[in-house]
Amino acid sequence: MLLGLAVIAGAGGWVFADTKRAERDPRAVDGVLDLTQRPMHENGPVRLNGRWAFYWNELLPAAEGGSESRTQPIFAEVPGEWGELGLPGRGYATYRLVVLTQGDAGTLSLHIPAIAPAYRILVDGRVIAETGVVSSDRTAVRAAYRPQTVSFEPAGPSFELAIQAANELYPRSGIWFSLTLGSESSMLALKERTEYAEMAVFGGCALLGLYQIALFLMRRSERSTLYFGLCCLLGALRIGTVGEMYIVRLDPDVDIRLLIHLEYLTYYGGVTAALLFVRELYPDEFRPAAIRLLAGIGCAYIGTVLLLPTEWFTRFLESYNYVSLASLAYILYGFARAFWRNREGAALQLTGWLIFVAAALHDILYSSGYAVWTDVQLVPYGFIALVFIEAMELARRFTNAYRIIGRMSEQLIASNRMKDEFLANTSHELKTPLHGIINLSTALAEEKSGPLNAYQREQLEAVVSVARRMSNLINDILDWSRLKNTGIQLECGPVDIRAVVSAQQEVFRHYIGDKPVELRFDWPDTLPAVHADESRLLQIAYNLIGNAIKFTPEGEVSVSARSEGGMVHLAVSDTGIGIEADKLETIFQSFEQVGTSVAREYGGAGLGLGIARRLVELHGGRISVKSQVGVGSVFTVTLPVSEAGGVRGNPLRPSEGDRPAAVRPVANADKALAAPTGTDGGARKERVILAVDDDPINLRVLQALLADEPYELVAASSGREAIETLERLGGKVGLVILDVMMPGQSGYETCRQIRHRYPLSELPILLTTVRSEPTDVMVGFEVGANDYLTKPFQAYELRARARTLLEMKRSAEDAVRSELAFLQAQIKPHFLYNALNTIMTFSLEDPQTTHDLLLNLSRYLRGSFDFKSKDRLVSLRKELELAEAYLRIERARFGARLRVRFEIDVGVECMLPPLTLQPLVENAVRHGITKREDGGTVTIRASAEPGFTTLTVEDNGPGMPEWARTIGSAEPNGRTGVGLRNIHQRMTRLYGTGIEIESGVDGGTKITIRIPQALDETKEASR
C-alpha cells in the first residue's frame, strides 16, 4: 500500500510540473502559431493550442498539391468542439494551422491524442497520420481511436498543418485534446515521461484497489474498503481507456464502441462508488436518502450504457455532468459538516475533495466550452491527489483500529487468563468438598449410620449421582482448560489400540450398569500400532464409548478398527438416539449438546466430544461423525500409524512365536527364581514377585527398579501365563504386579481369576495403569486388587508400595497362624472330655479295655500336641489314625450301635491341617448316630479326583435341621458350635473353599472336604 502511494505521489508531481510548463506555451492566433521566439530544441515541446482556421464541410487540401478553399475560414478553439460555433455535432471539417519556426528545427515529432473519432493529418499537403476513415460521404465514415506520435521534416521555416476530422458517432465532435509538437528527441523523452507517469498512476491505483477489495473480503463488515477499492480500480481502468488509450496498444483492432463503453462506465461508476464510499466514512453527516437518490441516478445512467446503442447513450453525458456536480457539491457539504463537528480526519478529507472537485469542475466547464485557468484536463491529477489523501485516511483509520484491537486483545487475553485461572482454581477447590459429599452420601446409602427406607435410599443415590456428574464435569473443565492453554504435553509412542481399549471392558460395562446395552469389540486379525499417548488415547476412547453408552437407552455399542493409507481408523457405533444433520459439527464445540431436552434428560456439559477432538488433532489425526436420528451414530477417529510399531496380531489369539523375547523368561520361571536379579549374585531373595505386563520394556523397568530389593522377580507377558505361573509356583509368590491393559485377557479379568483362588491377605495384587480416574480405581478394587499405581510412577513409590503389601501379607500370615493355633486349642479339650469319660467308664469293669483305650489316647496325644509349628500340616494317614483312635474309644462307649466303615482308595495321600477329619467324625457320631436308638453307620471315604483329594464323612442318622446347614449358625439355645465352623474357616483360609454339607429330609448327613492337589504341599513349603 505504501509503495502504491509513493508511486502515485511521484507521478503526480511529474505531471503537475508538466502542467505548469504548458501554461507558458505560446498560443495560436487566427490560424498562425509563431514559434520564432521559442526554439523547440531549447524550451522543449509546445502544445498547439489556440485559434485554428476552420472549414466546415470541407476536406482541405484534397490531396498533395490540391487547390485552396473557395470559402473564407472561421476560427475555432483547439482543443474544443465545433458545436461551440453553432454547428451540428455530426459531420466533417478541416482544421488548418500555419506554424512559424526559426528555420533550423530539423526533424520534428507530433503527438496526436484521441482528438476525434476519425481524422487525417497533413503537413504541407502530405499525409503523415490517419485513423479511421474520413470521407465526405457520411456512410463511408469509420470511427476509430489510435493515439500516436509521428515524425516529419518541414520543408522550410514555416509549414502548414491540416487536420481533416469526421464524426458520425458522437452527438458532439471536434479536436478534444491538445496536440504536442517538438523535436524528435524531446518528444521521445516527453513520451517516455508521460507513459511512465500514467503507468505508475495506473499501477498504483490498481494495486491500491485490489488491496482494498482484499481487505473487504477478509472483513466484510467494513464496506468502505470495498467502495474505495472500486473507485481506485475504475480510475485505473479509465487511465487505460482514456488519453493515450493503452488498451489500443495491446489490441489495435479493439472496437471503438468498447472503448466508449468503458469510458462512460468508469465515469458514472466512479461517481456512484464515491458517493457510497463517503457515506461509509461519515454516516452521520451524509443522509442515506440523498446518497441513495444520487447513487440510484448513477446506476440508471450505467444502465443506459449497458442497454442502449452508443449513438444514444452518448447523448446523456452532458446531463449527467449536472448530476456529477450535484454529487460533488453534496460530498463537500457532508465533509464540511464533519469538519464542523470535529470529526477525526475530516479536515484532510475535505482538502482532498476540494482539490478533486475543483479539477472536476474545471474539466466539466472546459468540456462545455468554457476554458478556465488552463486548457489541460485536471481530473486525473485531482484524482491522484484524492486517492493519496483517502488512502492515507484509511491507513490512519486502520492503524487506529489495529491499535485499539491490540489494546483490547491484551485486555481480553488477560481477562481470559484470569477466567481460566479462576476456573481451574475453583475446580480444584470444589473437588475436595465434592468428594466429601460423594463419600458421606455413599456411606449413608449403605446404611452405615442406620437403616433407611426406600425413599431415603433413592434420594441419597440421586445425590451421589449428581455429585459424580459434577465431579466428571470438573475433570472435563480442567482438561478443557489445559487443552485451551496448550498445557497438555503428549508422550507419544507405539500403542496397541486393541489392547488399550479391550483392557477397559470392565470399566465400560460398569458404565452400562443395568441398561439393556451390549458392548461388542470387533478387531481385525492384524492391526499396526498407532503413534499416540497411551493415557490420552484412553481418554479419547472413554469419551467416545462413554458418550455412545450414555445416549443409547438400549441396543448395542460396537467398537471396531481398520488400517488404511498409513492411518488407523477407530470406529465407535451405537444404536442410540442419533444426531440431527445440522448438529453434527456443533456437538464438537465446547459446552454444546444436541439440544436442551437432551441435556436435561442425559445431563452433561458438552465438553467430552470437544476434548476428544482437540486430543485427536494434537495426535495429528481427525474425528468425524455420521448419524441418523433414531437409528444411531458412528464416530470415527483416525490416528497415524507408528513407524516403530509394526503390525501386531490379534491379541485375542496370541501365539508363542509372537511373544517378545524379553518376556520368554516366564517359561523358565524356575530358573529365574534361582538367578538373582540384583548385583549381589549370592544374596538369597526372601520373596518372589510376579510381574505381569505385555510390554517387555516395562518388565525390564520393573526388574531395574527392584534390583536392589530382597525380591526375586518372575515375568509373565499375559494374564493366562500369570495364572499358569501361579499354579506352578503356588505359595512361593508373595506379590503380583499386574498391568491393566494387556492384549487378550485384561488385567481386571486376570485379577478376578486370581482372587477366585487366593484371598486378599494371602496374595496381594498391585495394579498398574496409565488411568487414574475414580471409575478405574473402583473397578480395580472391585475385582480384588490391593493397591493401585498410576503410570508413570517413581521408583521410590513402587518400592514403598511393594514393601508395604509384602509386610501386610506377612502380618496376615502371622495372624492366621495364631488364630489356627487358637482353633486347634479349642478343638482338643472338646475331644479329651469325651475320651476321658469313656475311659473312666471302663476302668473298673474292664481293665484290659481301659488299657487299650489309654494306649489309643496316648497315641493320639503324642501325634497332636506338637507346638513347634503354628500351622503345620499333617498327612492324611495321620488324620485317619487319629480318627480311628477316636472311633475305638466311641465304639467302646456305644458298642454295636456304632458301626464304622473305611473306604480309602489305594495310594491316596494329601496334606491337611491337623484335627480336620476327627472333629467331622465326632460330629457324625454325636449328632447323627447317637440320636437314633438303633444307632447307625459312619462311613469315611478318601478318593483322588482330577486336581483334588476328596474326603467324605457320612452317617445315616436323622440328618441336620435347616438352621444347622449354614456353617457357623447358632444353635437354638443360643450357643454356637466350635467344630464345624472352625474347620470351615481354616479350610477357607488355606484353600479358598470350606466344607460342603448335604443332608436329606429322610435322614443322613454327608460332609465333604476338597483339598487341591497342586497346593497341598506348597502351603506347607511356603511357611
Side-chain angles (χ1 to χ4, degrees):
M1 181 176 178
L2 293 176
L3 177 61
L5 293 176
V7 170
I8 291 174
W14 252 357
V15 174
F16 182 76
D18 188 65
T19 302
K20 297 299 293 181
R21 180 194 56 77
E23 295 177 4
R24 299 190 297 269
D25 289 343
R27 296 179 61 83
V29 179
D30 295 337
V32 178
L33 178 61
D34 188 358
L35 299 178
T36 57
Q37 303 301 319
R38 188 184 184 282
M40 284 183 288
H41 63 276
E42 295 179 2
N43 297 322
V46 61
R47 297 183 186 273
L48 305 182
N49 296 340
R51 290 167 56 84
W52 288 44
F54 180 78
Y55 302 88
W56 175 246
N57 283 341
E58 291 188 56
L59 298 177
L60 300 175
E64 188 173 351
S67 62
E68 294 291 332
S69 172
R70 294 186 294 269
T71 60
Q72 290 296 321
I74 58 178
F75 297 99
E77 192 70 28
V78 176
E81 299 175 354
W82 62 55
E84 301 168 2
L85 303 176
L87 301 174
R90 292 180 172 85
Y92 59 94
T94 301
Y95 289 84
R96 297 181 68 177
L97 178 67
V98 177
V99 180
L100 304 178
T101 67
Q102 292 180 334
D104 54 352
T107 302
L108 300 178
S109 293
L110 178 66
H111 176 67
I112 310 165
I115 57 176
Y119 64 86
R120 182 185 299 120
I121 299 179
L122 302 92
V123 174
D124 293 335
R126 179 169 54 89
V127 177
I128 62 172
E130 185 174 12
T131 296
V133 178
V134 179
S135 175
S136 57
D137 183 3
R138 300 181 60 178
T139 60
V141 175
R142 295 292 181 268
Y145 278 145
R146 188 184 177 189
Q148 56 186 312
T149 299
V150 296
S151 298
F152 64 94
E153 188 170 348
S158 64
F159 59 89
E160 180 186 77
L161 182 65
I163 301 177
Q164 300 174 356
N167 171 49
E168 295 296 334
L169 183 64
Y170 285 101
R172 301 169 63 181
S173 186
I175 299 178
W176 295 322
F177 303 102
S178 300
L179 287 81
T180 305
L181 179 67
S183 63
E184 189 174 23
S185 59
S186 61
M187 288 300 297
L188 180 60
L190 175 62
K191 178 183 178 182
E192 292 177 352
R193 186 168 65 249
T194 303
E195 289 182 355
Y196 170 77
E198 291 187 349
M199 284 295 97
V201 174
F202 170 81
C205 290
L207 180 64
L208 196 57
L210 293 174
Y211 171 75
Q212 296 295 327
I213 292 178
L215 286 180
F216 169 74
L217 295 176
M218 290 184 290
R219 189 183 180 190
R220 297 179 182 271
S221 60
E222 192 66 37
R223 289 182 294 180
S224 61
T225 56
L226 171 64
Y227 299 137
F228 183 62
L230 290 176
C231 289
C232 293
L233 289 179
L234 290 173
L237 184 59
R238 189 170 181 84
I239 292 174
T241 56
V242 178
E244 292 300 315
M245 297 185 179
Y246 297 100
I247 295 180
V248 177
R249 298 188 184 181
L250 297 176
D251 183 9
D253 299 328
V254 64
D255 189 359
I256 188 175
R257 284 177 169 75
L258 175 60
L259 298 176
I260 296 172
H261 276 76
L262 293 177
E263 177 185 358
Y264 278 65
L265 286 174
T266 54
Y267 177 35
Y268 299 154
V271 175
T272 304
L275 288 167
L276 298 174
F277 170 63
V278 297
R279 162 67 182 166
E280 292 295 325
L281 289 180
Y282 297 103
D284 296 333
E285 280 69 33
F286 293 95
R287 296 182 180 276
I291 296 296
R292 282 196 294 268
L293 175 62
L294 294 173
I297 294 174
C299 292
Y301 275 86
I302 293 174
T304 63
V305 177
L306 298 175
L307 300 175
L308 298 180
T310 305
E311 292 81 2
W312 287 20
F313 70 74
T314 53
R315 300 176 182 178
F316 306 137
L317 177 64
E318 187 172 356
S319 63
Y320 189 75
N321 287 338
Y322 297 104
V323 177
S324 179
L325 286 174
S327 300
L328 294 176
Y330 185 68
I331 289 174
L332 289 178
Y333 167 75
F335 279 114
R337 292 183 63 189
F339 175 72
W340 182 260
R341 296 177 179 179
N342 292 324
R343 302 296 189 196
E344 193 173 5
L348 183 62
Q349 299 244 51
L350 180 60
T351 302
W353 279 97
L354 283 173
I355 295 173
F356 179 75
V357 168
L361 181 62
H362 168 272
D363 287 1
I364 291 173
L365 293 177
Y366 180 80
S367 63
S368 300
Y370 304 98
V372 181
W373 181 43
T374 180
D375 56 2
V376 177
Q377 296 286 325
L378 298 181
V379 165
Y381 315 128
F383 178 72
I384 293 172
L386 180 62
V387 166
F388 181 81
I389 292 174
E390 291 296 345
M392 291 298 297
E393 172 61 19
L394 286 181
R396 184 193 62 80
R397 290 193 173 207
F398 271 99
T399 301
N400 291 340
Y402 282 127
R403 186 181 298 112
I404 295 173
I405 290 174
R407 185 166 58 251
M408 295 178 64
S409 297
E410 292 176 357
Q411 295 174 354
L412 287 174
I413 291 173
S415 300
N416 190 57
R417 186 183 301 109
M418 292 177 60
K419 180 262 295 178
D420 290 340
E421 291 176 356
F422 171 78
L423 194 62
N425 294 335
T426 304
S427 299
H428 278 293
E429 294 299 326
L430 285 174
K431 292 182 74 173
T432 300
L434 193 58
H435 288 169
I437 294 173
I438 294 175
N439 295 330
L440 290 175
S441 301
T442 302
L444 290 174
E446 294 174 352
E447 300 185 356
K448 300 296 184 182
S449 301
L452 302 173
N453 57 40
Y455 178 76
Q456 292 172 332
R457 185 177 295 104
E458 180 181 352
Q459 295 299 312
L460 284 174
E461 290 175 353
V463 171
V464 173
S465 176
V466 172
R468 285 177 176 165
R469 186 180 302 170
M470 288 183 62
S471 179
N472 293 333
L473 173 60
I474 290 174
N475 293 333
D476 286 343
I477 290 176
L478 291 174
D479 283 341
W480 173 74
S481 178
R482 286 194 291 266
L483 281 170
K484 185 178 179 182
N485 295 282
T486 63
I488 291 182
Q489 300 296 328
L490 300 181
E491 298 180 1
C492 294
V495 178
D496 188 345
I497 196 171
R498 295 168 303 177
V500 169
V501 177
S502 298
Q504 303 301 310
Q505 293 186 43
E506 296 292 335
V507 179
F508 297 140
R509 289 191 171 89
H510 178 79
Y511 284 169
I512 294 174
D514 298 331
K515 293 173 64 175
V517 176
E518 179 184 358
L519 179 61
R520 184 168 59 86
F521 293 90
D522 185 13
W523 302 120
D525 292 338
T526 59
L527 189 70
V530 297
H531 184 70
D533 185 317
E534 185 173 341
S535 175
R536 297 304 170 183
L537 177 59
L538 261 180
Q539 186 173 4
I540 296 169
Y542 269 61
N543 284 338
L544 293 181
I545 299 177
N547 189 75
I549 294 172
K550 179 179 180 181
F551 292 101
T552 303
E554 60 178 345
E556 180 183 87
V557 174
S558 176
V559 182
S560 60
R562 60 185 175 86
S563 176
E564 181 181 347
M567 305 290 284
V568 172
H569 301 256
L570 175 67
V572 178
S573 61
D574 62 72
T575 58
I577 62 176
I579 307 169
E580 299 176 3
D582 58 343
K583 301 289 185 180
L584 293 179
E585 185 62 28
T586 307
I587 59 175
F588 292 106
Q589 300 176 6
S590 300
F591 302 102
E592 292 290 343
Q593 286 190 327
V594 175
T596 305
S597 60
V598 174
R600 285 197 300 265
E601 180 178 356
Y602 294 95
L607 283 172
L609 291 177
I611 292 173
R613 166 178 271 188
R614 293 291 298 276
L615 289 175
V616 171
E617 291 174 350
L618 283 178
H619 283 85
R622 56 184 297 270
I623 184 171
S624 61
V625 59
K626 296 180 181 178
S627 182
Q628 185 175 350
V629 176
V631 177
S633 307
V634 179
F635 287 83
T636 303
V637 171
T638 61
L639 294 172
V641 172
S642 175
E643 297 180 357
V647 178
R648 302 191 178 185
N650 195 326
L652 301 180
R653 294 188 291 273
S655 63
E656 184 69 25
D658 295 334
R659 189 174 300 127
V663 182
R664 292 182 184 173
V666 176
N668 299 320
D670 295 334
K671 295 182 179 180
L673 288 171
T677 58
T679 57
D680 186 4
R684 182 180 179 274
K685 302 299 182 178
E686 299 178 359
R687 294 284 181 173
V688 175
I689 295 179
L690 175 60
V692 188
D693 200 311
D694 65 311
D695 190 346
I697 301 300
N698 291 340
L699 293 175
R700 291 197 184 100
V701 170
L702 290 174
Q703 185 177 11
L705 294 180
L706 299 175
D708 296 332
E709 298 293 320
Y711 312 133
E712 188 70 43
L713 188 67
V714 177
S717 62
S718 67
R720 186 178 296 105
E721 293 185 3
I723 298 298
E724 295 173 354
T725 302
L726 286 175
E727 291 178 353
R728 184 171 60 257
L729 300 181
K732 296 179 181 180
V733 178
L735 172 65
V736 177
I737 301 177
L738 180 61
D739 182 43
V740 170
M741 285 170 287
M742 294 186 297
Q745 184 171 293
S746 69
Y748 291 134
E749 182 61 29
T750 304
C751 184
R752 182 183 287 109
Q753 292 185 13
I754 294 175
R755 281 291 165 257
H756 287 164
R757 300 191 179 189
Y758 299 92
L760 286 168
S761 60
E762 186 173 346
L763 183 59
I765 298 176
L766 174 61
L767 288 181
T768 61
T769 181
V770 296
R771 293 284 297 181
S772 60
E773 296 298 321
T775 305
D776 301 85
V777 177
M778 181 176 63
V779 172
F781 286 129
E782 285 180 353
V783 298
N786 295 76
D787 203 352
Y788 210 95
L789 188 58
T790 304
K791 296 179 181 178
F793 44 76
Q794 299 294 329
Y796 68 86
E797 184 179 9
L798 173 66
R799 297 190 189 106
R801 290 180 184 266
R803 189 179 301 113
T804 300
L805 291 175
L806 288 171
E807 289 300 321
M808 180 204 72
K809 171 180 168 63
R810 189 193 304 275
S811 299
E813 289 174 350
D814 291 342
V816 169
R817 290 167 184 165
S818 299
E819 185 175 357
L820 289 176
F822 170 76
L823 294 176
Q824 291 177 6
Q826 293 295 317
I827 294 173
K828 293 180 185 300
H830 185 75
F831 168 73
L832 290 174
Y833 175 77
N834 292 328
L836 291 174
N837 281 338
T838 302
I839 294 173
M840 289 176 62
T841 303
F842 284 94
S843 62
L844 297 177
E845 299 179 357
D846 191 349
Q848 184 61 40
T849 302
T850 302
H851 177 267
D852 295 339
L853 291 176
L854 287 174
L855 289 177
N856 290 326
L857 180 60
S858 64
R859 188 182 301 115
Y860 168 75
L861 293 177
R862 281 196 305 269
S864 299
F865 288 98
D866 182 5
F867 297 103
K868 294 180 181 180
S869 177
K870 295 181 178 179
D871 60 345
R872 180 180 176 186
L873 299 178
V874 298
S875 64
L876 175 61
R877 179 185 56 79
K878 189 170 184 179
E879 275 293 291
L880 289 174
E881 290 177 354
L882 294 176
E884 185 178 2
Y886 166 77
L887 287 172
R888 286 179 179 177
I889 297 173
E890 295 291 39
R891 289 182 66 182
R893 290 178 57 196
F894 298 106
R897 293 178 59 197
L898 175 61
R899 294 177 292 276
V900 179
R901 185 167 58 191
F902 287 91
E903 298 179 0
I904 311 299
D905 291 352
V906 178
V908 174
E909 187 57 65
C910 67
M911 302 296 292
L912 68 163
L915 294 177
T916 298
L917 191 60
Q918 184 272 332
L920 298 180
V921 174
E922 180 181 355
N923 182 78
V925 172
R926 179 182 176 187
H927 298 287
I929 303 305
T930 60
K931 298 296 183 182
R932 299 177 57 179
E933 292 184 2
D934 56 349
T937 303
V938 175
T939 303
I940 302 173
R941 298 186 182 92
S943 60
E945 298 181 3
F948 294 94
T949 298
T950 304
L951 305 178
T952 304
V953 178
E954 185 177 359
D955 67 78
N956 57 356
M960 284 188 178
E962 186 69 29
W963 60 266
R965 299 177 188 176
T966 303
I967 302 299
S969 59
E971 297 181 10
N973 58 10
R975 296 178 301 171
T976 58
V978 175
L980 294 182
R981 180 167 57 87
N982 287 344
I983 295 172
H984 178 74
Q985 290 178 356
R986 285 191 293 162
M987 299 300 295
T988 301
R989 293 180 188 275
L990 290 174
Y991 303 120
T993 58
I995 63 177
E996 301 175 6
I997 300 177
E998 299 178 16
S999 184
V1001 179
D1002 298 331
T1005 301
K1006 180 180 179 180
I1007 300 178
T1008 303
I1009 298 175
R1010 289 184 173 86
I1011 300 176
Q1013 292 179 355
L1015 299 178
D1016 53 6
E1017 296 181 0
T1018 57
K1019 291 292 180 178
E1020 172 65 15
S1022 65
R1023 292 169 170 82

